[in-house]
Amino acid sequence: GRLKKLDVSENNLTGKSFASVINKLTECEINLSRLNLASCKLMPLLGAGDFVNSLEEYFKSGNKLRFLVLPVLEESLLNKVKDLWKNSWECLVEIEEDSENVTFSVKQI
C-alpha cells in the first residue's frame, strides 16, 4: 500500500523541512489524502514560503489533498493556500480557523 495519510502535528520541523517532504512526495508521485501539520510552531517562522510553494507544485502535479491542517501562517501565505484549495475543490471547500491552526477540508456530498 501507498502512503495516504501523514500526521506530523506538534513537530519542531521548519517550513523548509516540510517543503522538502512535499517535494519528495511530488517527485515520487505519492498522492496523500490527509496532511496534518497542526501546532508545528516553527513552520510559520522558518521557511513557510518554501512550504507554500512546494504545496502549490504538489497540487499542480495532479495530487489533491482532501484534508490539510496548518499552523496559522502570515496572511499573504495563508491566502495563497486558501486560493489553491478553492481553485482545486471549487464549491466543496470547507475552511475552519482558530487561534493556532487552519483546517482545510472537502465537504462530503
Side-chain angles (χ1 to χ4, degrees), residues 25-47:
L25 292 172
T26 303
E27 179 185 319
C28 295
E29 299 179 356
I30 296 174
N31 190 6
L32 286 181
S33 59
R34 301 174 67 88
L35 177 59
N36 187 347
L37 305 175
S39 301
C40 292
K41 298 188 184 329
L42 290 181
M43 197 266 223
L45 303 175
L46 300 167

Side-chain angles (χ1 to χ4, degrees), residues 48-72:
D50 294 329
F51 170 77
V52 172
N53 290 337
S54 67
L55 190 63
E56 189 171 30
E57 290 303 312
Y58 185 73
F59 272 71
K60 282 181 186 175
S61 72
N63 297 303
K64 294 194 334 187
L65 296 163
R66 297 185 63 80
F67 180 83
L68 172 66
V69 182
L70 298 176
V72 172

